[in-house]
Amino acid sequence: MVARALEEGHQVTAFVRNAGSLPDNPALSIRIGSIAEQPDLVRQVVQGHDAVLSALGNPLWLKGMRGPAILAAAAANLVTAMHATGVPRLVLPLAWGTGLSRTAASPLVRAIAATLIRRDFRDFDAAEKLVTTSDLKWTIAYFGALTDDEPTTRWNASTHIRTPNPLAIARADVARFLISSLDDEALVKQHVVLSGAANGNTSSRSPGNCISDGPPGRRCSRRSAT
């Protein structure tokens, strides 16, 4: 996500625990710390920026990772810092089945959210509530199954809350949507569902996005993501 934002000409501050994988770029400033645990530092880092784009997530214990649920604490610190410093725009990606999207999720997703990864979904729900009840210009973006596939030409973003179709979506496409949404006033205070590439059409060139107020998969207007 950082690399894509830099490619699009943004000045970026990355607030991370470990800077090892970040590129060397004069437009990139790196701050080391914990958004969930260091509210004063969060305020310092946020100061002077136009927007905040979150890439936070909890450790995936299903993949053998361990660690605390941090999203709600991080969201609380971000909202407080942004209010205090006058930074208006926040884009927050969350797993499909979180918050508002749960009522439209399948019985299987709802069951998993209530049992196997209950801790995480409670944390996601709390983060969403903190953001959507704030005075910020927020956008919540729901994603399904993330893949490491190449960027695609036919992914879809819809304000209609329905199961993503296809459910799988490339991380690169999620990043592209999140970055492009920062300047999109039509998406302020909107919940958006991200669906993967239709027909498996993938390409590393000329990716775009499709924004619709109808169900995922419905024909909609094409916008350039660059």
Side-chain angles (χ1 to χ4, degrees):
M1 189 179 303
V2 170
R4 179 62 197 174
L6 292 170
E7 288 174 11
E8 294 195 10
H10 293 282
Q11 294 285 326
V12 178
T13 298
F15 190 6
V16 295
R17 285 184 176 273
N18 188 326
S21 62
L22 292 174
D24 183 11
N25 190 301
L28 174 63
S29 174
I30 300 173
R31 300 293 298 271
I32 305 296
S34 169
I35 295 178
E37 299 172 348
Q38 297 175 281
D40 292 339
L41 182 56
V42 174
R43 180 171 175 170
Q44 293 175 27
V45 174
V46 166
Q47 178 78 45
H49 289 77
D50 298 317
V52 172
L53 197 164
S54 172
L56 291 169
N58 290 335
L60 299 177
W61 65 267
L62 287 174
K63 293 186 177 181
M65 300 173 67
R66 295 290 184 270
I70 64 166
L71 213 58
N77 288 340
L78 280 174
V79 168
T80 299
M82 293 174 72
H83 280 148
T85 58
V87 178
R89 186 76 171 106
L90 173 62
V91 180
L92 178 67
L94 290 170
W96 173 251
T98 298
L100 181 66
S101 72
R102 187 165 301 138
T103 57
S106 68
L108 176 60
V109 170
R110 293 199 301 271
I112 291 173
T115 55
L116 290 177
I117 45 179
R118 177 177 56 192
R119 180 205 72 163
D120 295 287
F121 272 90
R122 285 179 175 174
D123 189 48
F124 301 159
D125 291 346
E128 179 172 324
K129 185 175 181 179
L130 283 163
V131 170
T132 57
T133 56
S134 74
D135 294 329
L136 299 175
K137 298 170 70 174
W138 52 264
T139 298
I140 301 294
Y142 298 119
F143 59 86
L146 296 174
T147 74
D148 293 322
D149 292 342
E150 292 295 314
T152 66
T153 59
R154 298 191 63 186
W155 56 274
N156 176 281
S158 173
T159 54
H160 187 89
I161 306 301
R162 186 172 294 183
T163 298
N165 181 26
L167 187 67
I169 185 169
R171 286 180 172 84
D173 288 342
V174 173
R176 192 174 290 270
F177 168 78
L178 297 176
I179 294 165
S180 67
S181 70
L182 289 172
D183 297 323
D184 193 338
E185 288 293 324
L187 295 179
V188 170
K189 297 197 174 181
Q190 294 288 330
H191 296 79
V192 180
V193 177
L194 302 181
S195 297
N199 302 323
N201 184 11
T202 62
S203 172
S204 60
R205 297 183 179 180
S206 302
N209 63 21
C210 193
I211 309 296
S212 167
D213 60 0
R218 176 179 172 179
R219 187 175 181 180
C220 53
S221 61
R222 181 74 57 185
R223 298 181 186 175
S224 171
T226 58

